[in-house]
Amino acid sequence: MAKTYTYCAENIAENSIDKMRFELGDTMTEGGADTCVLCDEEYAAILAQCKTWQKAKINCLKAIVMKLCYEVDYKVDNMSLSLSDRYKHFKAMLDELEKKQQASSFALKTTNTNETKPYFYLGMQENPKAW
């Protein structure tokens, strides 16, 4: 099965491969595997597995990071290629997105309406018997 690399900017309004490519910056499809990190089939498989867009984006970033973690920097005489910079870029995006997801899941857990008293409260460490 041949890998395909397509991008149409007109389709970024819908949750599709094109929108994922746009949000991750993987839009240079002219060079195929030389310029794109993931192919259309990989994006489609990840999007089909995940229920939410945020989770799909995190899984795409994890796949990209795993693919790029093996690339190393080259230096021959005056020529140098810093291939590890792509890894650092996508790893930073993944870390930021995971932090946002953890913060939002924490906010959802703390907004429980059945909770009568917050876990942390003013004066909780004061010991009246010690006085």
Side-chain angles (χ1 to χ4, degrees), residues 98-110:
E98 285 179 334
K99 284 180 187 177
K100 285 181 183 178
Q101 184 186 26
Q102 289 174 354
S104 66
S105 67
F106 178 74
L108 290 174
K109 289 179 184 176
T110 58

Side-chain angles (χ1 to χ4, degrees), residues 2-127:
K3 295 180 180 179
T4 57
Y5 300 89
T6 59
Y7 173 70
C8 182
E10 296 164 352
N11 297 335
I12 63 173
E14 339 167 329
N15 287 347
S16 63
I17 295 170
D18 296 318
K19 182 176 180 179
M20 187 62 76
R21 280 194 185 280
F22 176 75
E23 288 187 6
L24 299 179
D26 190 23
T27 58
M28 292 180 43
T29 58
E30 297 83 18
D34 294 332
T35 56
C36 290
V37 186
L38 298 178
C39 65
D40 290 348
E41 291 78 14
E42 291 169 320
Y43 280 118
I46 293 171
L47 288 170
Q49 287 178 346
C50 300
K51 295 179 182 177
T52 65
W53 183 257
Q54 197 78 354
K55 185 70 174 164
K57 192 171 180 182
I58 288 174
N59 286 346
C60 285
L61 282 170
K62 284 181 181 178
I64 291 170
V65 166
M66 289 304 297
K67 190 176 254 190
L68 296 178
C69 71
Y70 297 105
E71 292 186 349
V72 295
D73 297 339
Y74 294 107
K75 183 169 183 168
V76 178
D77 294 328
N78 293 333
M79 184 193 82
S80 66
L81 295 172
S82 299
L83 298 177
S84 65
D85 289 345
R86 291 183 355 152
Y87 168 79
K88 292 174 188 173
H89 169 74
F90 284 107
K91 179 70 172 144
M93 283 176 59
L94 175 63
D95 292 341
E96 180 182 341
L97 198 59
E98 285 179 334
K99 284 180 187 177
K100 285 181 183 178
Q101 184 186 26
Q102 289 174 354
S104 66
S105 67
F106 178 74
L108 290 174
K109 289 179 184 176
T110 58
T111 58
N112 189 358
T113 57
N114 298 335
E115 195 174 323
T116 57
K117 185 176 180 183
Y119 183 78
F120 297 106
Y121 56 91
L122 187 64
M124 70 180 273
Q125 293 183 342
E126 294 176 2
N127 186 357

